[in-house]
């Protein structure tokens, strides 16, 4: 096992590293974040035992390691550890602080409503839908492609898209175009509802073919799986489409003012109605949305 930061060897603290780690813990108790404590350690010139610069996740693993306080995995004192980087009571207090911060971060995450998830924001590098994500627990919300890692901050992308959506709605004929789009959406909703209602009949037909020996088991199982996935995607699509209808903007004269106070569901519905997809490319040296984002506008079919 390699040397643990803060120790020269088991039970013997490192004269330079141990005081720095204790000070980093004091910073956390004082309200600083792990990222800030990591930057402070880096500024003091502290490296890991392998000679690498500290990263936030490396510091977190270290500070949640009970050996830092001379304890085993069960919280019992290790034999022969006459010196400790942290006293056990300080270590336990630090773990309690982590638990409290974790609970707060969890609530903060739940409170953020992404505007362009659910298949609207796509990765322009490799194609899949982007998901709501964060670089780490303390980072701001962002959109990420799970396949290639393309990422953009949520506020940067959403502000850019909203600005263009509102600009489109101020153009002549915008209201009439919205009405046509809503008619298209309502027609698709009706088709999807029929498709979902017929799912049981389609499954029964598949089962009947298999029961009569007209389908091998492998094909039967594949058809069942495809049918379930089709039903799942249809229900998801229906949920998205239903957000785009009955938007309360018919009599609104100042759309910008309306946007500032509108419920999130109404904002999302308006954006999804106007936009088919938002395609996000890699930064390539520029974080400016104009150089990374392409908007595919929804067009009426009639």
């Amino acid at each position: 096992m390699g040397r643990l930061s803060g120790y020269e060897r088991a039970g013997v603290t490192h004269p330079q590293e141990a005081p720095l780690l204790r000070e980093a813990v004091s910073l956390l108790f004082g309200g600083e974040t792990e990222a800030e404590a990591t930057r402070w350690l880096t500024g003091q010139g502290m490296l890991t035992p392998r000679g690498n610069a500290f990263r936030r996740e490396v510091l977190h693993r270290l500070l949640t390691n009970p050996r830092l306080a001379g304890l085993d995995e069960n919280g019992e004192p290790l034999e022969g550890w006459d010196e400790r980087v942290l006293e056990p009571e300080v270590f336990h207090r630090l773990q309690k602080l982590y638990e409290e911060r974790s609970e707060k971060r969890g609530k903060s995450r739940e409170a953020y409503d992404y505007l362009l998830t659910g298949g609207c924001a796509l990765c322009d590098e490799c194609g899949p839908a982007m998901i709501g994500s964060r670089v780490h627990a303390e980072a701001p919300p962002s959109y990420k492609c799970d396949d290639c890692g393309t990422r953009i901050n949520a506020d940067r992308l959403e502000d850019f898209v909203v600005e263009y959506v509102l600009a489109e709605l101020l153009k002549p004929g915008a209201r009439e175009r919205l009405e046509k789009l809503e008619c298209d959406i309502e027609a698709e909703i009706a088709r999807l509802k029929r498709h979902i209602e017929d799912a049981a009949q389609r499954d029964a037909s598949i089962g009947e073919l298999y029961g009569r020996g007209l389908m091998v088991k492998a094909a039967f199982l594949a058809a069942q799986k495809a049918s379930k996935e089709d039903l799942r995607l249809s229900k998801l699509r229906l949920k998205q489409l239903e957000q785009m209808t009955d938007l309360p903007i018919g009599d609104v004269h100042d759309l910008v003012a309306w946007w500032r106070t509108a419920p999130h569901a109404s904002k999302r519905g308006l954006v999804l109605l106007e936009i088919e997809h938002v395609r996000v490319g890699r930064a390539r040296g520029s974080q400016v949305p104009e150089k990374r984002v392409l908007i595919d506008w929804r067009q009426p079919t009639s």
Side-chain angles (χ1 to χ4, degrees):
M1 182 180 293
R3 181 176 75 84
L4 184 68
S5 290
Y7 289 94
E8 289 188 324
R9 59 183 183 275
V12 179
T13 57
H14 194 289
Q16 286 79 43
E17 294 179 358
L20 291 176
L21 289 173
R22 294 183 189 118
E23 182 61 28
V25 171
S26 296
L27 292 174
L28 294 176
F29 287 144
E32 301 291 336
T33 65
E34 280 187 330
E36 291 167 330
T38 302
R39 285 194 291 271
W40 182 84
L41 283 174
T42 301
Q44 299 301 309
M46 183 168 174
L47 301 174
T48 69
R50 293 185 177 183
N52 299 319
F54 265 88
R55 303 193 310 275
R56 187 203 64 82
E57 57 269 25
V58 173
L59 180 62
H60 181 82
R61 282 199 302 271
L62 175 63
L63 296 184
T64 54
N65 187 336
R67 289 200 301 143
L68 203 64
L71 305 173
D72 63 19
E73 295 299 328
N74 298 317
E76 298 297 326
L78 291 165
E79 293 185 9
W81 286 57
D82 298 325
E83 300 177 2
R84 295 173 290 272
V85 174
L86 298 180
E87 292 303 314
E89 58 269 24
V90 175
F91 178 78
H92 292 312
R93 181 184 165 202
L94 179 60
Q95 307 318 301
K96 184 177 180 180
L97 174 66
Y98 278 139
E99 291 176 5
E100 293 172 351
R101 289 188 176 183
S102 178
E103 291 176 0
K104 290 179 180 178
R105 285 195 295 267
K107 292 177 182 177
S108 175
R109 287 185 179 192
E110 293 172 5
Y112 188 82
D113 288 321
Y114 287 91
L115 193 67
L116 305 169
T117 50
C120 182
L122 303 179
C123 175
D124 202 35
E125 300 296 324
C126 58
M130 304 184 80
I131 62 172
S133 174
R134 297 173 190 250
V135 177
H136 55 77
E138 296 170 359
S142 62
Y143 289 82
K144 175 191 175 185
C145 171
D146 259 352
D147 286 7
C148 71
T150 295
R151 185 186 292 273
I152 187 170
N153 282 3
D155 57 352
R156 182 174 288 127
L157 176 61
E158 292 176 359
D159 289 350
F160 172 79
V161 170
V162 167
E163 181 179 343
Y164 274 81
V165 167
L166 294 179
E168 282 293 310
L169 292 173
L170 295 176
K171 293 180 179 179
R175 302 302 177 105
E176 292 78 6
R177 186 169 58 83
L178 277 182
E179 291 177 1
K180 291 180 180 178
L181 287 172
E182 284 190 316
C183 288
D184 292 342
I185 296 301
E186 288 170 357
E188 188 176 351
I189 287 174
R191 288 194 297 272
L192 270 176
K193 285 182 175 179
R194 290 194 297 270
H195 183 71
I196 291 170
E197 289 171 359
D198 292 341
Q201 184 177 344
R202 290 193 298 275
D203 289 341
S205 298
I206 294 171
E208 183 179 350
L209 289 173
Y210 178 63
R212 293 168 58 186
L214 300 175
M215 183 182 289
V216 298
K217 186 175 182 179
F220 168 67
L221 294 176
Q224 270 194 328
K225 182 178 179 180
S227 180
K228 289 181 180 179
E229 178 65 6
D230 173 70
L231 181 60
R232 184 186 72 82
L233 293 176
S234 295
K235 288 181 177 179
L236 177 62
R237 176 63 174 166
L238 178 61
K239 183 178 179 180
Q240 293 170 344
L241 292 175
E242 287 177 336
Q243 297 179 57
M244 305 180 203
T245 58
D246 299 326
L247 289 172
I249 60 172
D251 297 325
V252 175
H253 299 291
D254 189 342
L255 281 168
V256 176
W258 171 84
W259 183 271
R260 293 193 187 110
T261 59
H264 183 269
S266 296
K267 293 179 180 180
R268 179 175 169 81
L270 180 58
V271 170
L272 294 178
L273 182 61
E274 278 281 298
I275 290 175
E276 188 74 38
H277 294 118
V278 176
R279 291 180 282 135
V280 182
R282 287 191 183 277
R284 292 186 174 87
S286 175
Q287 294 291 344
V288 179
E290 285 83 351
K291 296 184 178 181
R292 300 186 57 190
V293 180
L294 295 173
I295 298 177
D296 296 330
W297 297 95
R298 193 183 300 276
Q299 299 298 327
T301 57
S302 58

